[in-house]
Amino acid sequence: MIYLDNSATTQPDPQVTDVVKRAMEEYYGNPSSLHKLGVDAENVLKQARSVVAQALRCKPAEIIFTSGGTESNNTALKGVALQYQSRGKHIITSQIEHPSVYDVCRQLEDFGFRITYLPVDADGRVSLEDVKAAIQSDTILVSLMHVNNELGTLQPVKGVGEYLKQFPKILFHVDAVQSFGKMAIAPREYGIDLLSISAHKFHGPRGIGILYKREGIQLQPLLMGGGQEAGIRSGTENIPAIAGLAKAVRLLEQRGTQETVRMAAMISRLREGVAMIPGCVVNTPEYGIAPHILNFSVPGAKAEVLVHALEERGFFVSTKSACSSKLNEPSRVLMATGMDRARALSAVRISVSHQNTMEEIEQFVAAFGETVEQIRPYMNV
Ligand SMILES: Cc1ncc(COP(=O)(O)O)c(C=O)c1O
């Protein structure tokens, strides 16, 4: 079995699993309790917060633990919209955001917000000039992803953050779910006010994430209750998952950048191999991309057929993103690049992690070539 769907989720590192198990057994106290078990659990929480803060080069108080990327994105967008609506009701985002940003914006439209959905070029990239042109006198928020989850295209968040520094009343949210741990990101240096991260994308536990919130920014909470996480996210803290997340962050640091270089080499070999197969076209651009994602199509083939045929050969890959892959519609993201329907409907995404090897990529390229030959007679070309 060769797992090549790491953008959907990653296999938890065994060291993370150990930490989670140990925290469940030993630190089951409620961090809000006054007794020793509570204090011990609170110490685990504090330690985890400082590990994350160090990785993001920010203050521990700027870290809010959430249930994952979806909640971080919802909290950032709705939290800002509700808090700052008296300042303005205009929000800028893009046509290629994850549904946990895009559909939240759609929902905010029902509440009277005006949303600008910026277009992208053929590479799936938003232009800084378009961001500049979209700003209005009542813009309160710009929300852009760092790396697109389907194409792997890097967005100009550094340039946007730099530009927005002259508009202190416009907050900047970045969905860094696909980039954290693979590409440099430091919210303060980049002029980012809010940043979303999800642990299961970097070998941490499922159902735990981070929202970085710059000091001084107020958010209306989605969840009211006991006032945990500085009142932004009530609910008894998930200590085992938080401890596991911190372990996954530490392991990322230990692995260092050489693993990202290795991932980029695997993606580059994959690009070369896939491009040689007759009828295959690569959708991920060559430059300005993340190191772990390659998207390609076999126009005329059905992506689900490719995915299942590959599974029979022992390879696990995906069509568009995991959350929308069951819908029989071409991907909104790929269509936004101007791609034709047949190409978008046949798109397959490969995403690697440090757990993959070049040998596996060679095996995949060979198997993919055979798979395309196998289904060619049934293709609609
Ligand atoms: C770019 C992006 N944002 C947000 C999410 C949602 O994260 P989670 O699964 O932790 O809710 C994903 C997950 O695929 C993603 O790729």
Side-chain angles (χ1 to χ4, degrees), residues 16-285:
V16 167
T17 318
D18 281 351
V19 165
V20 172
K21 181 171 180 290
R22 203 153 47 82
M24 287 187 87
E25 287 165 356
E26 291 175 25
Y27 301 105
Y28 56 85
N30 186 323
S32 301
S33 295
L34 298 178
H35 50 68
K36 182 180 178 314
L37 280 179
V39 174
D40 288 350
E42 194 189 7
N43 284 338
V44 173
L45 181 61
K46 273 191 191 153
Q47 217 181 344
R49 208 185 297 285
S50 82
V51 167
V52 174
Q54 255 174 33
L56 289 176
R57 283 181 261 158
C58 67
K59 295 183 181 168
E62 294 177 314
I63 301 299
I64 298 161
F65 290 113
T66 67
S67 67
T70 298
E71 188 187 324
S72 294
N73 285 342
N74 271 262
T75 306
L77 272 87
K78 291 177 186 168
V80 167
L82 294 181
Q83 181 69 33
Y84 296 102
Q85 56 185 325
S86 57
R87 208 188 255 179
K89 289 201 133 185
H90 180 240
I91 293 172
I92 300 170
T93 188
S94 85
Q95 293 175 2
I96 57 154
E97 297 303 309
H98 186 266
S100 56
V101 166
Y102 188 85
D103 290 347
V104 170
C105 286
R106 288 271 181 237
Q107 196 181 22
L108 287 171
E109 286 186 68
D110 293 339
F111 290 90
F113 288 86
R114 294 174 352 270
I115 317 285
T116 300
Y117 299 93
L118 295 172
V120 291
D121 63 15
D123 286 349
R125 206 179 324 270
V126 167
S127 101
L128 173 58
E129 293 312 309
D130 283 350
V131 176
K132 291 181 185 174
I135 292 173
Q136 299 179 14
S137 58
D138 64 342
T139 304
I140 53 170
L141 177 69
V142 176
S143 177
L144 291 177
M145 64 200 331
H146 190 195
V147 163
N148 179 263
N149 49 306
E150 291 187 38
L151 283 166
T153 310
L154 186 62
Q155 302 302 322
V157 296
K158 203 168 185 183
V160 172
E162 196 55 47
Y163 181 74
L164 288 178
K165 281 182 184 163
Q166 60 189 297
F167 299 94
K169 291 201 167 156
I170 302 179
L171 298 179
F172 185 30
H173 166 248
V174 171
D175 173 352
V177 167
Q178 288 294 340
S179 65
F180 179 74
K182 297 175 188 92
M183 322 215 53
I185 188 99
R188 277 204 175 259
E189 285 154 46
Y190 282 52
I192 294 168
D193 301 298
L194 297 146
L195 185 93
S196 303
I197 292 173
S198 174
H200 73 98
K201 306 290 185 180
F202 55 96
H203 309 281
R206 197 79 46 89
I208 190 75
I210 300 159
L211 177 65
Y212 158 84
K213 179 183 76 66
R214 184 170 58 74
E215 202 174 30
I217 293 172
Q218 307 291 317
L219 292 182
Q220 278 294 324
L222 297 187
L223 302 180
M224 300 300 289
Q228 290 90 344
E229 296 301 290
I232 303 295
R233 207 281 180 179
S234 284
T236 302
E237 299 88 341
N238 186 348
I239 297 295
I242 291 171
L245 177 154
K247 182 67 186 178
V249 170
R250 281 212 174 104
L251 291 172
L252 267 181
E253 283 163 358
Q254 281 169 21
R255 284 196 294 274
T257 49
Q258 79 243 30
E259 284 303 322
T260 352
V261 171
R262 211 170 58 76
M263 284 185 226
M266 288 189 269
I267 288 296
S268 164
R269 170 64 193 121
L270 189 59
R271 170 189 295 278
E272 199 183 84
V274 166
M276 299 286 285
I277 299 169
C280 296
V281 272
V282 175
N283 300 322
T284 298

Side-chain angles (χ1 to χ4, degrees), residues 2-4 6 262 266 351-357 360:
I2 296 180
Y3 185 71
L4 294 168
N6 290 278
R262 211 170 58 76
M266 288 189 269
S351 41
V352 299
S353 84
H354 73 279
Q355 293 173 333
N356 293 114
T357 63
E360 290 176 339

